Amino acid sequence: MLQILSDLQSAAVAGCSELALQLSPRLREDLKRLVFDQECRMSTADVEALHAELMMVASMPNQNHPAFMTATIILLADRLNYGAGEDDLFWNWSAFRDRFREAPSPVRAALMNGFRRADTLGLVKLDQLPKGTDLRTYDETDLTRLLKIIARSMTEDMRDVVCTLAPQETREVHRKALDNCLKGSCILSEFGGWFPSEVIERVSLDPVHPSYAAATALMILDAIATRDCTGKMALRYEKQADDYILLPTELRIPLLAGLRHLHEMEADWEPYADWPVEQRLDKAIVMPFAKP
């Protein structure tokens, strides 16, 4: 939920200036306050001042499509924030879901994931849930290609070091399995449950290991293939988000894109789900929004 709200807020910030030009001049400061200071959560006074014009812009995609998207995003974010707006957005979804798909992929994915979660919570009424590519920022084929490049950057010497984490008598088996995995699909679970998964999982928990990024890429690729059925990447994100963000740009961007893909694939992929609310608000880290 934190990731969904963060993405909606970021999309609203990105589109606020364009939307402001579609509203009455007297409302522009109110809009700025709502988006930047209140994180799109409307008070009763905000509803009285802004709601009608937001609903109007959210019903006119042909006049200004970016503003139409931003107005819809604000209305939806208010629902998810349990703000004062009371419209269930059924008409907007029924009338315009095809027009939502025309937005840049980060904006479209933020809105679609927001609608999916709001429907789950009973905050909006949808006759047809968003699914598949509607929910995804990145093309899966392009994303997995980049992740495989990172995984295969593990040199022969690096592979040797990785396999030293196994007992002496199984190192050769791990090494052969690792070579086969990297030459093949790069999907760990296709090469058995133990070889080379045991050593790769250990390396993926050690941010100072030379093969940390490559091992993490392998873990993400497997999680995408299996829909993270064991929850291993959700757990790693909870514990290692700080480390992911500190990686060099050429590694950080594809790895975080892979983690975002997991979030967008599965409604219940929810790091921090077991944390108390106060701890989540204080320490949970959301993935950066991919600017349109």
Side-chain angles (χ1 to χ4, degrees):
M1 183 68 160
L2 283 176
Q3 186 66 53
I4 290 170
L5 288 172
S6 175
D7 289 343
L8 290 170
Q9 168 70 9
S10 296
V13 167
C16 186
S17 297
E18 188 77 25
L19 174 59
L21 297 176
Q22 304 302 311
L23 301 183
S24 302
R26 62 183 175 79
L27 297 178
R28 290 172 186 171
E29 285 303 312
D30 292 333
L31 175 67
K32 183 177 178 181
R33 172 180 46 76
L34 173 63
V35 171
F36 288 91
D37 298 337
Q38 297 171 209
E39 298 181 339
C40 301
R41 187 177 187 273
M42 286 191 275
S43 66
T44 301
D46 293 325
V47 171
E48 292 177 0
L50 285 163
H51 195 267
E53 290 206 24
L54 287 173
M55 288 295 290
M56 179 182 67
V57 177
S59 68
M60 297 189 299
N62 291 332
Q63 181 159 318
N64 186 306
H65 193 271
F68 154 78
M69 288 295 296
T70 305
T72 307
I73 282 166
I74 291 172
L75 292 164
L76 178 60
D78 174 68
R79 297 291 289 163
L80 284 165
N81 276 308
Y82 295 92
E86 296 182 354
D87 194 288
D88 66 6
L89 303 181
F90 172 81
W91 179 81
N92 300 72
W93 174 258
S94 179
F96 299 124
R97 60 174 173 257
D98 288 338
R99 303 304 306 272
F100 297 153
R101 297 185 177 104
E102 298 172 15
S105 64
V107 176
R108 182 247 305 141
L111 183 66
M112 294 294 196
N113 278 281
F115 267 119
R116 177 171 68 172
R117 180 55 58 91
D119 181 81
T120 299
L121 296 173
L123 298 172
V124 299
K125 295 181 179 179
L126 307 183
D127 57 350
Q128 180 181 334
L129 287 175
K131 59 183 178 180
T133 55
D134 286 347
L135 299 156
R136 299 178 188 178
T137 300
Y138 302 105
D139 176 79
E140 188 168 304
T141 300
D142 291 341
L143 177 59
T144 55
R145 177 179 57 82
L146 292 174
L147 291 171
K148 287 177 182 179
I149 290 171
I150 296 174
R152 290 169 177 155
S153 70
M154 196 186 300
T155 65
E156 296 290 325
D157 288 344
M158 292 166 72
R159 297 178 198 186
D160 286 339
V161 173
V162 167
C163 292
T164 62
L165 295 173
Q168 180 71 44
E169 62 271 17
T170 63
R171 288 177 188 175
E172 186 177 340
V173 181
H174 274 289
R175 178 56 197 272
K176 184 175 181 179
L178 179 55
D179 287 345
N180 288 339
C181 180
L182 292 173
K183 284 189 293 186
S185 65
C186 291
I187 306 300
L188 290 167
S189 57
E190 293 181 4
F191 293 84
W194 191 255
F195 306 105
S197 295
E198 178 199 12
V199 291
I200 292 299
E201 288 185 21
R202 290 179 65 182
V203 173
S204 74
L205 294 169
D206 182 2
V208 300
H209 197 286
S211 296
Y212 176 66
T216 300
L218 285 170
M219 293 293 296
I220 293 173
L221 284 162
D222 195 68
I224 291 173
T226 63
R227 296 183 174 272
D228 202 21
C229 59
T230 59
K232 289 178 180 177
M233 280 314 304
L235 178 62
R236 278 164 174 72
Y237 188 83
E238 285 183 11
K239 295 180 179 297
Q240 297 181 267
D242 283 326
D243 299 313
Y244 297 149
I245 288 171
L246 294 175
L247 287 167
T249 303
E250 68 274 14
L251 300 173
R252 180 181 71 249
I253 291 175
L255 293 178
L256 287 177
L259 289 160
R260 172 176 286 282
H261 197 67
L262 292 174
H263 153 70
E264 293 171 347
M265 284 174 66
E266 293 296 317
D268 58 356
W269 196 82
E270 189 76 32
Y272 312 113
D274 297 331
W275 288 22
V277 173
E278 297 79 9
Q279 186 181 4
R280 267 182 280 167
L281 293 174
D282 184 42
K283 295 186 177 181
I285 296 174
V286 295
M287 287 167 265
F289 183 65
K291 294 183 179 179

